[in-house]
Amino acid sequence: MTADPTIAERRREGTPVLLPLLAVAVLAAFTASLLVGPAAIGVRETIDALLAGEVETTALIVREVRLPRALLGLLIGATLGLSGAALQGFLRNPLAEPGLVGVSASASFGAVLTFHTGLAGLFALALPLGGMAGACIGVVVVQALAGRDGSPLTLILAGIAVTSFAAALTSLALNLAPNPFAALEIMFWLMGSLADRSFEHVWLSAPFMVAGWLLLATLGRPLDALTLGEDAAQTLGFDLRAVRHRLVFGTALCVGAATSVAGAIGFVGLVVPHLLRPLVGHRPSALLPASALGGAVLILVADVAVRLLSPSRELKLGVLTALVGAPFFLFLVLRLRKELL
Amino acid sequence: MRSRVDVGRRGRPRSNRLRGAVIAAVMIAMTIRTMPAWAKPERIVSMNLCTDQLVMLLADRERIASVSYLAADPHASALAGDVAGVRINHGLAEEILPMKPDLVLAGAFTTRPTVFLLRRLGYLVVELPVAANLDDIRSNIRAVARAIGEPRRGEALIAAFDGKLPPQHPNSGPRPRAVLYWANGYTSGKDTLANAAVEAAGFRTLGSELGITGTSQLPLETLLAADPDVLIVGRERDGPALANETFRHPALRRAFATRPKVSVPDYLWVCGTPFVADAIARLSAVREAGRHEGRVGVADK
């Protein structure tokens, strides 16, 4: 544990201020998410609707439409931020993102299959359940492909293989869609959205997301050790195989559940850890909670923006995060290049 | 509210009165939002282009609380001109809940999360399947008519629809071969409304002959090699779209320079509404014209 003094030093740098700040931002974004929507409801009415027991339209909208939506935004944002930070830490690769381990693509395919077979039309949870089944199969295949060793490279390759195959199957399902309306619905779903999700979705996905978080939260110290290199980490007593298992299963649990209810939402898991890394002194263990909060802020804000920009015909959330995320990422790359020169 | 009075009036022994009242209260609580079948819904919301048009054909305007934004799109909706004054929705729960609908009509494939959310909150949602043939049109009209409590109007609309269809004489005259050709080079085969309409107009379709089910891409080569008698295209949409390039292909233009090329506006048959009969009548007229000129039937050996 020779690295400990420096870590302790770094801890003093930014995190004590950063985490509470981010938590306040999450709270603000969550509140904004409750206040914004096509139905004009004032701040006072929203609070009344949340607290009072009346069953009126306003209360119905706030409690059954906006609250689950805001909760899912919070949960999914935290999931994407946390898993992105964990993956970038483990692979020591800034391009890693939650979709890398193949769960997003396989969850998407599982969900699309329920559209295709018509199951999605029968009951509300068919779609997310299909997504979770897809995610399970995806993670088993990735683990089998990645082999016994804890090497990051084999994990990346296995993840890419599963992602490409699942994406191809999704395209095939789209290609063979029973009618143009179903194809359109599948495409819209794939773009990612939180519109009109209900508490059913929250109750279904939250336990898996929280379980995934708990697994990923244990990775702080091994990830810190990994910054010294694989060999050094192993010498420090960390079993990289076990670390990888926890990483993959943790990511699969939370990202699989997130994708199952909201579709694929890109760039959050990629950009948020980048943005926050310098602020936590480049320490993976400190980045995990910060990135989780940051992801939640970003998704909640994006979901508010989606509703403000086009109140009636909603932009898809995944489209917006990619639209904002890609130029921002470009900016990061340019800045990085300047630093290197 | 009438049901409470009715239940209360029944001459039950006193001991049972209370229980009756409780049951009645529970029933009323349950039926406030899931309207009973015998009551006519008065605030109907439709979230789907096809149910929009059917409900506008069947229900009095004051009972329609809202239709979808697509109903006002003149390319997609045959009743776009009649929408003025009706509120427009985009299939979002937040728009629909304040309207306090007693009936929500939706399509079987669109706005899934919203449908489930509304059901979960106790609203009565009736879903309509996608019409794949003329019988589906009749059953969809019947379903909407029943849901809104206007079964007689439904039967009248079906009768009017059937009356507009050309008489079917299975063995009268040649059945020229038509090909449906949409933007992006798609064609429709079995189990599609457009295909059923073309066949009802007295054509054979290339889609059916090739064994295509649903809508799928048709290579231009296959189309040209099959040498169909009539080309039926969707109306070109405004605005630039790569999709429209398929209609401008020189090979296609030369092949159909002398053969009839018919365009049927989308709004006539994108949905299973009685307007499909107009599309059929239009196609049927093309077939008749071709027969008299001795042109269309030539390839029918």
Side-chain angles (χ1 to χ4, degrees), chain B residues 107-286:
Chain B
F109 283 96
T110 44
T111 57
R112 304 313 307 155
T114 314
V115 166
F116 291 124
L117 182 59
L118 291 172
R119 285 227 172 105
R120 194 180 127 81
L121 299 179
Y123 288 86
L124 178 63
V125 182
V126 172
E127 285 173 281
L128 228 54
V130 175
N133 52 50
L134 302 189
D135 265 337
D136 286 354
I137 297 179
R138 297 182 189 106
S139 68
N140 278 0
I141 293 174
R142 212 162 270 143
V144 171
R146 199 182 309 128
I148 66 170
E150 300 281 6
R152 247 181 252 143
R153 287 190 196 179
E155 294 310 318
L157 194 61
I158 292 169
F161 168 69
D162 287 335
K164 268 200 270 180
L165 293 176
Q168 294 288 316
H169 310 293
N171 294 318
S172 77
R175 284 174 75 79
R177 194 151 58 148
V179 60
L180 280 158
Y181 204 50
W182 311 120
N184 266 331
Y186 276 81
T187 194
S188 296
K190 280 170 214 142
D191 292 341
T192 65
L193 194 54
N195 194 66
V198 175
E199 289 184 338
F203 291 93
R204 293 174 292 147
T205 70
L206 187 57
S208 292
E209 283 182 10
L210 292 175
I212 292 169
T213 304
T215 298
S216 80
Q217 226 150 12
L218 176 70
L220 187 55
E221 277 192 31
T222 315
L223 189 161
L224 294 173
D227 201 25
D229 303 304
V230 181
L231 178 71
I232 302 168
V233 292
R235 215 191 73 93
E236 276 185 47
R237 289 297 186 97
D238 310 324
L242 211 54
N244 289 333
E245 290 298 313
T246 42
F247 299 138
R248 302 203 191 100
H249 198 289
L252 189 70
R253 279 206 287 202
R254 273 183 50 195
F256 285 91
T258 56
R259 275 177 270 184
K261 203 170 123 182
V262 194
S263 102
V264 177
D266 291 346
Y267 61 79
L268 285 184
W269 59 5
V270 72
C271 276
T273 63
F275 298 107
V276 173
D278 297 321
I280 294 172
R282 197 177 285 205
L283 293 168
S284 189
V286 171

Side-chain angles (χ1 to χ4, degrees), chain B residues 83-98:
Chain B
V83 174
V86 183
R87 271 173 83 180
I88 295 295
N89 72 70
H90 303 77
L92 290 171
E94 274 197 37
E95 297 172 314
I96 287 157
L97 292 178

Side-chain angles (χ1 to χ4, degrees), chain A residues 34-42 57-58 61 66 311, chain B residues 93-98:
Chain A
L34 285 179
L35 291 174
V36 173
I41 302 173
T57 313
T58 324
I61 289 175
R66 290 193 189 167
Chain B
E94 274 197 37
E95 297 172 314
I96 287 157
L97 292 178

